[in-house]
Amino acid sequence: MRILMAGAGATGGYFGARLAQAGQDVTFLVRARRYQQLQADGLVLQTPAGTETLQPQLTQASTLTGHYDLIIVTVKSFALDPLMDDIAPAVGPDTLIMPILNGIRHIATLQQRFGDDKVIGGLCKINATLGDKGEVVQMTPLHQLLYGALDGNNDMRLQRVDAALRVSQVDTLFSENIMDELWEKWLLLSTLGAVCCLARGNTQQILTSRGGEALLQGIFAEILSVITAEGYQPRPAVTARIYELLNNPATPMTSSMYRDLTQGFDIEADQVIGDLLLRAKRNGLVTPLLNAVDVNLQVYLQQR
């Protein structure tokens, strides 16, 4: 299977490397600066098990040729629009596109551009970041890749994708209900991002502060009410586990959006929080805590 990994940041770099190491035909589509960096230094993985380096197959938008069987989209959500122009030449009649982005909005965006039949559901779970020299730093052993047809019909096309992905050195789940997985990841990451960005701290600091647990509980409840109104059918055992994970003062947690914010980078404010507010409004829901988070993030973006 010919795979195009659109992006070679922490997420794309890690999962693309694991697929390449498993013998898959993986090419990384990257910008000029990342291209030069990877050509010079290779793709470096720093994991809890040690450091690994590989020489990846690279391309840029200007030199992208031929159709790919699978395109895995791993860029930040705010970079999706230009990325769609970049990958367009690689999309053929049988190409499948698997985004592993935050939120849900990107699915409709990709479907409108390339067609409903091209887009499948995907998400990843990993604690990783890019180091100062462009190395992929995996902070914990967690490395899960989940995927499946958005309508649950995992036909032969999806089975080929599964066969290619499950040989990698990561934990994979070929899901028959990927939409629930997507809603639940959004519940987790948006709650974590909202509470960390609003309080400007990790969950341990928040939960050991006066009113911290109430803040977490309130944000979690608002987000759960929004996604339920949008079609998510809550799985109580799963949502309870998500809340329990977040509400643990012994384990400090932060979101990628919070880490980006503290470093002065662009953030996925509209995709992770703003989209929830739009969905709340169209369902007649009042979400004062989410509104406070959104104002906070918009002010940050104005000040950048």
Side-chain angles (χ1 to χ4, degrees):
M1 174 170 280
R2 195 165 185 242
I3 301 173
L4 182 67
M5 188 67 64
T11 300
Y14 182 84
F15 287 104
R18 292 308 189 204
L19 286 167
Q21 289 172 331
Q24 294 298 328
D25 180 6
V26 179
T27 300
F28 293 86
L29 172 64
V30 292
R31 302 292 186 190
R33 181 180 175 186
R34 187 66 167 151
Y35 184 93
Q36 294 168 0
Q37 188 176 54
L38 292 172
Q39 268 201 325
D41 303 329
L43 179 53
V44 180
L45 303 185
Q46 290 184 0
T47 78
T51 300
E52 307 166 53
T53 303
L54 66 152
Q55 296 300 323
Q57 295 186 89
L58 303 172
T59 188
Q60 297 183 69
S62 60
T63 57
L64 182 61
T65 58
H67 296 157
Y68 285 77
D69 300 302
L70 177 66
I71 301 175
I72 303 179
V73 178
T74 70
V75 298
K76 295 287 188 180
S77 296
F78 49 72
L80 182 58
D81 285 347
L83 188 278
M84 290 192 297
D85 292 334
D86 291 345
I87 66 172
V91 179
D94 301 317
T95 301
L96 290 175
I97 302 170
M98 186 176 89
I100 47 177
L101 280 62
N102 291 329
I104 296 286
R105 181 194 297 176
H106 60 270
I107 293 174
T109 302
L110 285 163
Q111 287 175 329
Q112 289 166 7
R113 176 67 183 268
F114 298 108
D116 292 0
D117 62 320
K118 296 289 185 193
V119 183
I120 66 175
L123 64 96
C124 69
K125 298 179 182 180
I126 187 171
N127 296 315
T129 189
L130 280 186
D132 293 339
K133 297 180 180 179
E135 68 276 22
V136 175
V137 181
Q138 183 194 20
M139 296 175 284
T140 70
L142 177 70
H143 56 180
Q144 296 179 350
L145 199 56
L146 296 79
Y147 46 87
L150 291 166
D151 63 2
N153 179 26
N154 289 328
D155 57 20
M156 286 299 298
R157 300 182 310 156
L158 274 293
Q159 291 171 35
R160 286 186 64 228
V161 170
D162 176 51
L165 298 184
R166 60 185 157 88
V167 300
S168 64
Q169 304 172 42
V170 304
D171 299 326
T172 60
L173 174 62
F174 188 24
S175 176
E176 294 182 356
N177 196 0
I178 195 67
M179 280 306 305
D180 274 356
E181 305 282 358
L182 287 163
W183 287 120
E184 287 156 1
K185 184 181 179 184
W186 197 10
L187 174 63
L188 170 63
L189 72 90
S190 59
T191 301
L192 182 60
V195 73
C196 289
C197 290
L198 186 60
R200 292 297 195 272
N202 64 45
T203 53
Q204 185 179 66
Q205 294 167 327
I206 293 162
L207 292 168
T208 54
S209 297
R210 184 173 55 251
E213 184 177 355
L215 176 64
L216 173 67
Q217 186 177 47
I219 289 174
F220 183 88
E222 286 187 5
I223 294 170
L224 182 56
S225 71
V226 173
I227 65 173
T228 300
E230 282 290 290
Y232 170 59
Q233 297 181 359
R235 299 190 284 187
V238 177
T239 56
R241 283 199 300 272
I242 293 171
Y243 186 74
E244 183 179 332
L245 175 67
L246 294 166
N247 189 32
N248 179 5
T251 305
M253 296 174 61
T254 60
S255 71
S256 59
M257 185 165 68
Y258 171 74
R259 294 192 294 272
D260 286 343
L261 182 148
T262 58
Q263 296 178 78
F265 298 158
D266 201 356
I267 57 173
E268 297 176 309
D270 285 344
Q271 295 80 11
V272 174
I273 301 300
D275 193 28
L276 286 169
L277 284 171
L278 291 174
R279 294 168 188 263
K281 183 177 180 180
R282 74 186 181 201
N283 286 285
L285 299 176
V286 178
T287 53
L289 291 175
L290 278 178
N291 186 69
V293 173
D294 188 55
V295 171
N296 184 292
L297 298 179
Q298 296 309 308
V299 170
Y300 164 78
L301 290 170
Q302 290 176 40
Q303 293 174 341
R304 280 188 74 239

